[in-house]
Every structure is written in structure tokens, then in C-alpha cells.
Amino acid sequence: MKYIKTQTHTMNICLSQKPLIALSLIVAPFYFSQNKAEEALKKFEENYPQEKIHLLLSKKNYVAGENLWFTSFVFDGYSPSTISTNVFVELYDQNKKQISKKIYPLINGKGSGSISLPADLKEDVYYIRAYTTWMGNFSDDFNEIMPITIYNPSSSEKLVKNTSASWSAVLFPESGTFIDGINTKFAVRLQSKGETPTNWSGFITEIQNPQTKLVTFKGFDQNTGSFSFTPVAGKKYQLTVEDEKGIKQTINLPDVAASGINLQVKSESDAIKFVFKSKNIDQNAKYKILGTINNQMVYKANVSQISDKVYTIPTSQLVNGILNLTVFDESENIVAQRLCFVQPQVLKLKQPSLKGTSLSLTPRDSNSFNIENNPAISSYLVSVTDNESENPEDDNSLPSTLWLTGDLTSKIYYPAQYFDENRNTDALDALLISEKWSRFNWQTIMSGTFPVIKYKPESYLSYKGKATKLGKPASEEEINLIFKMPDQGIKYNLIKTDKEGMFTLSGLVFEDSMAFSYQLNHEKANKNSVQVYFQPDFSFLPLRSNLPSTNYTLTKRQSTDQIPREIERAVSNKSSQTDLREKETLIEEVKIKAQKKDLTKKLNNELSSPLFRNGNETVFDFVNENQNAQASMNILQYLQGRVAGLQIQMQNGTYTATNRGGAVEFFLDEMRIDASQISTIPVSTIAMVKVIKGNFAGSFGGGNGAIAIYTRRGGTTGSAAIDTTLPSNLKEVKLNGYDKEIPFKNGIYDEESAKSIPQDKRSILYWNPYLESKSGEPTIVQWYNNDDAKNFRVMIIGFDENNDLLYYNDVLK
């Protein structure tokens, strides 16, 4: 009988990410009287880390009735998040009516899933919302809310781009100040509920003399333009903006101030350079400037005299990201503020090395390439699409979420453009002049107001249970949970209730549902004497904010309307899906029989109970794979150096094991044992070993994981010979688990007979969110062509052991 202690976890949140090297520059030898800002920032950074999500869809546009696949990347700052282990994904219509909701596990900040779009959805713009429980403690503005277009030629209305919506322009002086005689850089920001103009220009005039243009400029893109201008006190100025259609808008510039400080910043490849310009200020006044990246202070300078001296912050010690520079006076009032991007000229994105590319344009032929081995990366997301289809990363890419939109809440048109190979760094700088840091407000945190933590991060799936005996709480009772396992018989797990009859099952990782029975451990209770009730300790959170505006409008569909080519292809491809699914199912069955990885998964399901499963586990299969373990004296010696973070040492003749510095537990066939007993287990009798990291439901309370050893006990697979007939007086309970992802079929033409389907207009040719990188070997990507693809767009995403991002999004020709 297995003795399992369940527990409720209290998680302490701490900021865990790549360190941003803090620089300290004391420009003048004096003591700044107040440090409220620094103290408030430290408290905020340490206790309120903030997650952001990038949702990568399998394609950009969909047709009602299709399957939508996605991968979610959750970040804490600029690194994959270790805070949350679940991601919630929901689909809404324009009226904020929820159409679908899903929950999927996160492994090292990454999770994948799918949504089946109902075939009767009317053509419209819909919204996918993705979030974590921890994100519920902050503004919904930082949820990932992505508009998607879903087409349906049977709908009475069709989607068209809203090109007639009005637009407006807003002015932003650099650092927020506009002072007499100081040449000031302005950003002009366009806004609209529809589309803003692509081609536009502007000019500055005096209000009293509108015929004379003092400055002219051309907009960079649909978001911003910029110009520089030296004002004169007493004069009033105006900006006139005109688009390519001749539509004009005139707005007034701010009043010219007679005194103040203007902070001027340039972000160059080797350093951030800034200078203070001033007019009519007290020369004895003291100021401090704080520089923060991702809520962490990386720079501090005290300034006693404002001059034209240029100060520098070397970029060699900083990461790419938004630098927030804030100038405070002696009373810690903000006098100037500026956002800029660190090294926009040199984006630190790793690239894969692709070898052995074999491409064919023959319909339904095989294509492939190899990703050269990188031992620092364990798996990749790989996507291959027909390049004629629209790229889902063209609007907002993973880099633009990571570095820009994940921390700003305003609407930005096509933010991916600021991080592609043709990026305009001046346009990005103008955009940031027009923005303020959204993750915190200096005045708010300096006043002592911080977020209220209502939701604690969960450890995968958790359930609260309550046991009663004859209608009263079963106080401090031992209860057996009895799992009927496929091909294995019965697994017993023991839990203990508290004084109120309560207990918690946490760290569960399973799909669909999990069924089990229960009984008190010390007696054979009759059918009605004991009752156990379960309530999920996780929940979907209501959407508090409004849905964003859309660039589309609906108009009545005419019988003569042409269906867009990509949508026509998707509709025609749907007609072949029934035959394709039937053939793919047969092929998949053949593949499953041939793949060792799936046999290992099957073995894991047979040997381990649901309480001994975790989203972050490493499985060693000694039944289906030759692991060369026989050469080791014992299993712990074999495991040395094979699992990242796991340290195994011999001390005074006894083995110890730690994960990231914390002791791990040992289990033999899911029974707790001492490490000294393991050396006596013959390696030849072991069927499987699992190294589980972090919390899991079968733990005795340790949060550092376990080494679980399973022996060969009655058959090739190690399944135990246990009577599978459950006692008739036990009640069965079912718990709901993670939603099951619809498998994407990559090898659809592995069997030649599958090519008999009438037509193949697929836009997604390959989709694998977890392509394993094998040690010492290249990673092979193989897919089949559709009927008419001429180019292939390939996307490869991965993170190395230092959490550095590998990002490839290009066309193979």
C-alpha cells in the first residue's frame, strides 16, 4: 500500500530571470535626501513579478469548422516564466459571449493546445484570450487578447477592412517638456478605431501665421512620425497632419514653458547617451535619474548641476528591452521621463543552423531539412506553412510581444515591424517617446499602494477534498484513493485529512478525466458511511476589461462577391477533411506502433499512477530502449549527469540527490524508501525511472521533486499482477483534467494510399510545438507538400539553458 501525504502549497513569488546588470554612476559627490522611489521599486520588483503571454497561432485566418492550433509562451520579464503552470485560453465573440474555454499545462513557460471552431460561427472578428491565474492580480489589459478573423461564406454578412474610419493625431514632446529656446524632439502618434493611414505627412506653423511652414516631416508608418523644433516663449504653434487622401487635422502644440528640464536621449549600439537641457532653473537644485528595465533598477545617477554634458550607459551589460529613464527633483517629484529601447540596431536573437535542405515543388512530395545539433536546446517549436498564406507573426511577433506590446497597453499597428530585418529604429524611438511605462506608476508605488494578491499560482491541477463519515467530518482519517490503471491493475495512494476532514490533491497532470474509488484505511466502510467531495482549486477568471476595437466591419454579402483566395482554399480543403482524417487515423496507428517515444509514454501510463505524474519529468525507459544501464553499478550512478540540475553524490557510503540545491525524495514502485536501499536494487530488474522536478501530488511535502524507480514485476512491461476487480461497495469519483489537444497530423502521406484524396490546399504543412532535440544528432524536420506550394515559410523557436531566445522566421526557396 502506498503512503501519500497531500498538502496545500503556499508559494513565495520571487523574481527569477536573467539578471540585468545594475550600473551605479554618481555624477556629483552628494547625498540625495530621499530614496522612496528606490525602496518602492525594490518592493515592487521582489513581490509583484508580472507575466506576459505571446500566443502563436498555426495560421492567421480561419474558416468556421476548422481546428485552430496554438502555442502559448508565458514570460516573467524577458525569460520563460516559472511562476505559473497552467494557461487558460478562451474564445469570445464581439458581444463578449464566451464560445470556448480550455486549460492546458505550462512546461517551462510553454504550452500548446487547440480549439475546434464551431461550423455554424457567423463570419466576424472573434477574440482569443490567454492568461494565467497569477495575471488575475493585475490589470486585464495585460492578458493576451488577440483578434482573429473567422470566415464563413454561408453567412449573410462578410468582413471588409474599415478604411473609412476617422483618425486623430496626438503630440508628445520628448521627456514630456516643451521649453523656451530648447530644441525639442516631438513624436506624432496616429490613432483610430479602424485603420490609420500608411502615407501621411505634417508641418508646423505659428497659429497667427498659418501660411509659413516652420518644419515639415513625413510619417514613418501607421503609428508614428517625428520632428524637432525650437520654440520661442510667447508664441503659439500648431501641427497640421494630412494623409494621402487629402484629409487634414490640425492640433495645437503645448504652451511653451519659460523654465524646466528637457531630457534628450539617443540609443546607439554601444551606449544609451543622454543630456539635460535646462532654462531658468535653480543652479543649486539637485536631481537624480533612475533607469529601469523590466521593473529592475539598472542605473542611478545623482546630478547637482545641469549642463550640456553627455552621460552614457554602456549597453554591453544590458539586455534588449525598454529602458525607462525618470528624472526626480529633491522632493522626488518627476520632472522628466523617457522610454527608449536598448540596442535596437543589434537584436540578440539566436539563429538555428539549417543543413541538408531537400525541397520539392511536386504536389504531395516529401520535403525536409535538419537543424544542426545544439546541446543547449532540448526542444523546438517548428512550423512550416505555404508562403502564399498570411503569416500569423506578421502583425505581432514573439519578439514584439516580449520587448514591446507585452508591457504597453496602447494599440500599436503591426508591432512586429520594429523587430524585423528591415526595421526602422527611428520609428521605434518615436513610438516610445509617445508611450509611458505601463507596468507600474511611480507615484502609486511610492505612496505605498501595491497590487492586492488575490490569486496564488497553482501547481498544475489541484483539487480540494472533504471527507465525511456518517454525515460528520472524517477528522484526521487515512483514506485510500484507489486507481484502476490500464494494463496494470490497482494503484493505492494514501491521503490524510485534517481536523475538519479536508485534504488537498495538488500537482496533478492528466488529460480528460481521472476516475478512482476511495475507502477509509482502517476499516471496511460500507457504501454509505463515507462520502468524499471534491472542488477544483483552480478556475477560469472573468474578463473585466472591454474587448479591443477591430479594423474590420460587416457588410451585407452579395451573390456576386468574390471569396478571398486564401479563404476559398480553406473552404475547399475542408471538403477533403473526412477522407483525410480517416486515412490519417490509420497511418497514425501504424506510426504509434513504430515509435519508441510512444512506447515509452505507454509504459509510463502503465507503471505510474496519476499522483506520480508531473509536467516537468524525465523518463528513462529500460524496457523499450537500450539505455546501457547495465554498465553502471547501480541506478543512481547511471543517473549522474543525465538530468539538468540533478546532482547525485556519495557521502559516507550513502548516496544523496539534490535538484537545484534542494533534496529530492526516493520512491520504489511509488513507496517512499531511503537512498541507502537503492544501491541494492539490481539494474536488470528496473523497468523505468522517472526524475520528477518540483511539486507533484504524490510528494511527502518536498518541493524539489523525486526519483521514482519502477521494477519489472510480472511481465515484460513491469506491470504488477493485481486483481483488477474493484470491491463492489466502493464509490467511483471522476475529476476533470486538462483539455486534450487535437493531434496535428504531420505525416499524412507516409502511406502512398493517402494521396488519393481529391485535393490538398493545406496552408499549414507542418506543426510541432515540441520537436525533441536529440543529443549529438541533428533534428530532422520532414513534411509533405500540398498541391501547389511554391515557397515554404519556416518558423523555429526555442530557448537554451540560459533562457536565451532562438527565433527563426524566414522563407525557404
Side-chain angles (χ1 to χ4, degrees):
M1 199 169 287
K2 314 297 186 293
Y3 287 84
I4 303 300
K5 179 182 178 182
T6 62
Q7 65 282 334
T8 302
H9 301 288
T10 300
M11 186 172 295
N12 295 319
I13 301 302
C14 62
L15 190 67
S16 57
Q17 60 181 39
K18 184 193 300 181
L20 310 174
I21 305 301
L23 309 176
S24 179
L25 174 62
I26 306 300
V27 179
F30 68 86
Y31 175 73
F32 206 85
S33 60
Q34 298 189 61
N35 291 292
K36 283 185 179 179
E38 294 94 316
E39 293 168 0
L41 179 67
K42 183 179 181 182
K43 180 178 180 180
F44 190 80
E45 174 202 350
E46 291 178 349
N47 297 287
Y48 306 98
Q50 294 158 322
E51 292 180 316
K52 52 191 171 188
I53 295 182
H54 180 71
L55 205 61
L56 174 61
L57 304 186
S58 53
K59 63 177 187 172
K60 185 176 180 180
N61 301 311
Y62 291 87
V63 170
E66 285 190 301
N67 291 324
L68 179 155
W69 284 275
F70 62 84
T71 297
S72 54
F73 295 91
V74 182
F75 296 96
D76 167 13
Y78 299 137
S79 299
S81 178
T82 58
I83 298 173
S84 297
T85 54
N86 297 324
V87 62
F88 300 85
V89 180
E90 301 163 352
L91 180 67
Y92 291 88
D93 67 11
Q94 289 278 358
N95 298 317
K96 214 173 169 182
K97 177 185 175 183
Q98 190 179 90
I99 298 169
S100 174
K101 63 178 182 179
K102 306 278 187 177
I103 179 173
Y104 291 101
L106 289 171
I107 302 174
N108 298 324
K110 177 181 168 186
S112 65
S114 60
I115 298 174
S116 294
L117 301 175
D120 60 353
L121 281 182
K122 72 169 188 173
E123 184 163 317
D124 207 345
V125 174
Y126 294 80
Y127 297 88
I128 297 182
R129 176 197 182 202
Y131 60 94
T132 66
T133 301
W134 178 250
M135 292 172 72
N137 298 307
F138 306 92
S139 169
D140 278 4
D141 291 339
F142 295 105
N143 289 187
E144 172 72 31
I145 300 180
M146 177 185 293
I148 59 165
T149 50
I150 298 180
Y151 294 90
N152 187 343
S154 300
S155 293
S156 60
E157 294 181 307
K158 66 174 183 176
L159 284 170
V160 295
K161 275 284 185 74
N162 184 6
T163 57
S164 60
S166 60
W167 53 267
S168 61
V170 185
L171 273 168
F172 298 89
E174 183 174 21
S175 77
T177 58
F178 189 44
I179 304 164
D180 175 40
I182 297 178
N183 187 267
T184 302
K185 184 177 181 180
F186 272 86
V188 181
R189 184 74 174 269
L190 300 188
Q191 299 171 340
S192 174
K193 289 187 176 181
E195 286 277 317
T196 52
T198 303
N199 297 312
W200 58 281
S201 58
F203 58 87
I204 301 296
T205 63
E206 289 184 35
I207 292 179
Q208 286 79 13
N209 186 14
Q211 304 305 317
T212 302
K213 296 179 181 179
L214 304 177
V215 175
T216 61
F217 67 96
K218 183 173 174 54
F220 292 126
D221 50 42
Q222 283 183 268
N223 294 303
T224 63
S226 71
F227 64 89
S228 294
F229 176 60
T230 304
V232 176
K235 293 190 175 182
K236 294 185 178 295
Y237 303 94
Q238 64 183 12
L239 164 70
T240 301
V241 178
E242 183 176 5
D243 66 15
E244 59 188 349
K245 297 178 180 178
I247 299 173
K248 292 183 179 181
Q249 184 181 119
T250 300
I251 56 176
N252 292 336
L253 271 66
D255 291 338
V256 181
S259 63
I261 293 175
N262 183 244
L263 174 65
Q264 302 183 357
V265 181
K266 286 188 178 180
S267 182
E268 299 181 353
S269 59
D270 60 338
I272 306 289
K273 298 180 179 180
F274 64 91
V275 62
F276 295 101
K277 300 285 186 177
S278 66
K279 182 74 174 287
N280 295 333
I281 65 168
D282 182 356
Q283 291 302 309
N284 295 318
K286 297 177 177 64
Y287 301 90
K288 70 179 175 186
I289 181 167
L290 301 182
T292 64
I293 297 180
N294 184 42
N295 303 344
Q296 180 180 348
M297 190 165 70
V298 297
Y299 180 83
K300 177 179 179 179
N302 294 335
V303 181
S304 60
Q305 289 185 342
I306 298 296
S307 66
D308 289 345
K309 179 179 178 180
V310 177
Y311 303 107
T312 62
I313 307 174
T315 56
S316 59
Q317 300 181 81
L318 299 177
V319 298
N320 290 130
I322 297 175
L323 175 67
N324 181 11
L325 291 169
T326 309
V327 182
F328 298 87
D329 66 15
E330 287 185 275
S331 299
E332 289 199 293
N333 298 309
I334 294 175
V335 297
Q337 200 165 11
R338 169 78 146 88
L339 301 183
C340 68
F341 194 84
V342 178
Q343 282 190 301
Q345 306 88 351
V346 185
L347 299 180
K348 297 169 185 175
L349 293 172
K350 294 183 177 295
Q351 294 291 302
S353 177
L354 305 186
K355 304 288 185 180
T357 302
S358 175
L359 301 181
S360 170
L361 297 182
T362 303
R364 311 185 188 190
D365 204 358
S366 176
N367 304 270
S368 65
F369 63 81
N370 297 336
I371 305 173
E372 197 168 71
N373 178 251
N374 184 343
I377 297 180
S378 60
S379 69
Y380 301 93
L381 175 145
V382 180
S383 165
V384 181
T385 57
D386 183 340
N387 193 45
E388 290 296 311
S389 64
E390 293 186 78
N391 180 12
E393 290 280 281
D394 278 348
D395 289 357
N396 191 23
S397 62
L398 192 152
S400 61
T401 296
L402 184 65
W403 289 327
L404 190 66
T405 59
D407 294 311
L408 304 175
T409 58
S410 60
K411 183 176 181 179
I412 300 174
Y413 295 89
Y414 309 105
Q417 66 183 304
Y418 299 113
F419 304 102
D420 64 22
E421 59 182 359
N422 299 316
R423 60 189 176 275
N424 184 334
T425 58
D426 290 333
L428 175 59
D429 193 60
L431 182 80
L432 291 176
I433 288 175
S434 70
E435 290 282 354
K436 287 187 177 180
W437 186 247
S438 301
R439 284 299 190 171
F440 71 84
N441 177 278
W442 277 113
Q443 286 86 353
T444 300
I445 65 172
M446 288 167 65
S447 70
T449 303
F450 294 92
V452 176
I453 301 303
K454 182 179 179 181
Y455 304 103
K456 296 292 181 68
E458 63 287 312
S459 176
Y460 295 100
L461 298 181
S462 297
Y463 280 86
K464 290 181 178 179
K466 181 174 183 178
T468 62
K469 185 168 65 172
L470 300 175
K472 297 180 179 180
S475 177
E476 297 182 333
E477 293 275 10
E478 290 183 343
I479 298 178
N480 274 320
L481 303 183
I482 306 167
F483 299 90
K484 188 175 181 181
M485 308 298 296
D487 305 318
Q488 190 185 4
I490 296 175
K491 285 279 188 178
Y492 291 87
N493 292 117
L494 188 71
I495 58 95
K496 189 172 183 179
T497 65
D498 63 16
K499 290 183 179 180
E500 286 73 39
M502 305 293 295
F503 61 92
T504 299
L505 293 178
S506 62
L508 297 169
V509 181
F510 64 98
E511 289 183 333
D512 288 342
S513 63
M514 175 175 66
F516 58 90
S517 299
Y518 58 86
Q519 67 179 20
L520 290 185
N521 190 42
H522 70 278
E523 63 178 294
K524 293 294 182 180
N526 63 50
K527 186 175 182 181
N528 297 316
S529 65
V530 179
Q531 296 287 336
V532 176
Y533 306 93
F534 285 94
Q535 180 178 351
D537 205 14
F538 57 92
S539 62
F540 291 82
L541 303 181
L543 177 58
R544 296 166 294 192
S545 64
N546 294 324
L547 295 170
S549 60
T550 171
N551 301 342
Y552 289 84
T553 186
L554 286 169
T555 62
K556 186 173 179 58
R557 189 184 300 277
Q558 304 296 326
S559 59
T560 56
D561 287 341
Q562 291 288 321
I563 299 176
R565 181 176 181 272
E566 185 172 357
I567 306 309
E568 185 178 20
R569 290 172 60 85
V571 171
S572 64
N573 199 55
K574 275 181 59 182
S575 65
S576 301
Q577 289 305 301
T578 301
D579 281 347
L580 189 60
R581 278 195 296 268
E582 290 175 356
K583 295 180 183 296
E584 286 174 347
T585 300
L586 293 174
I587 294 168
E588 192 68 18
E589 289 174 356
V590 174
K591 286 176 63 182
I592 286 175
K593 293 177 183 178
Q595 289 181 342
K596 290 183 178 179
K597 183 177 178 181
D598 287 332
L599 289 174
T600 298
K601 183 177 180 180
K602 182 174 183 289
L603 182 69
N604 190 10
N605 289 336
E606 291 175 356
L607 292 182
S608 62
S609 71
L611 300 193
F612 275 75
R613 293 179 195 164
N614 180 287
N616 192 3
E617 62 182 30
T618 302
V619 178
F620 296 91
D621 178 356
F622 301 115
V623 173
N624 300 300
E625 296 184 29
N626 180 13
Q627 300 277 4
N628 296 319
Q630 300 292 339
S632 302
M633 292 179 58
N634 57 61
I635 193 61
L636 292 184
Q637 185 189 69
Y638 168 80
L639 290 175
Q640 284 180 321
R642 296 182 185 271
V643 180
L646 179 67
Q647 299 292 325
I648 298 175
Q649 297 177 327
M650 172 77 78
Q651 295 181 349
N652 300 322
T654 302
Y655 282 98
T656 62
T658 59
N659 178 40
R660 307 296 185 191
V664 302
E665 300 172 294
F666 296 94
F667 293 86
L668 178 64
D669 293 325
E670 299 190 355
M671 293 182 64
R672 177 77 179 271
I673 63 169
D674 189 78
S676 61
Q677 300 174 257
I678 294 179
S679 59
T680 63
I681 304 172
V683 176
S684 60
T685 66
I686 297 175
M688 181 181 77
V689 176
K690 290 173 59 166
V691 178
I692 305 172
K693 294 183 179 180
N695 291 302
F696 66 103
S699 169
F700 273 80
N704 298 302
I707 296 174
I709 301 168
Y710 296 84
T711 58
R712 302 172 184 257
R713 295 167 298 133
T716 305
T717 65
S719 59
I722 301 176
D723 184 6
T724 60
T725 305
L726 286 173
S728 60
N729 66 330
L730 298 185
K731 290 186 176 181
E732 188 173 79
V733 176
K734 281 192 176 182
L735 300 182
N736 291 324
Y738 289 109
D739 289 286
K740 194 168 185 177
E741 180 179 358
I742 300 168
F744 187 91
K745 312 297 184 183
N746 285 314
I748 64 170
Y749 297 135
D750 284 352
E751 294 293 327
E752 189 69 24
S753 59
K755 294 184 179 181
S756 63
I757 62 170
Q759 56 185 344
D760 184 350
K761 303 293 183 182
R762 289 171 299 133
S763 58
I764 317 166
L765 306 177
Y766 183 92
W767 174 262
N768 191 341
Y770 291 99
L771 179 60
E772 183 181 2
S773 173
K774 295 183 179 179
S775 177
E777 301 178 19
T779 302
I780 301 172
V781 179
Q782 187 268 336
W783 72 95
Y784 289 97
N785 200 358
N786 59 19
D787 285 344
D788 54 6
K790 299 297 184 289
N791 292 304
F792 306 103
R793 175 165 292 276
V794 173
M795 192 173 305
I796 304 172
I797 300 172
F799 292 89
D800 67 15
E801 56 195 7
N802 296 318
N803 288 328
D804 289 326
L805 172 62
L806 177 146
Y807 185 83
Y808 178 87
N809 181 10
D810 210 344
V811 176
L812 291 180
K813 298 181 180 180

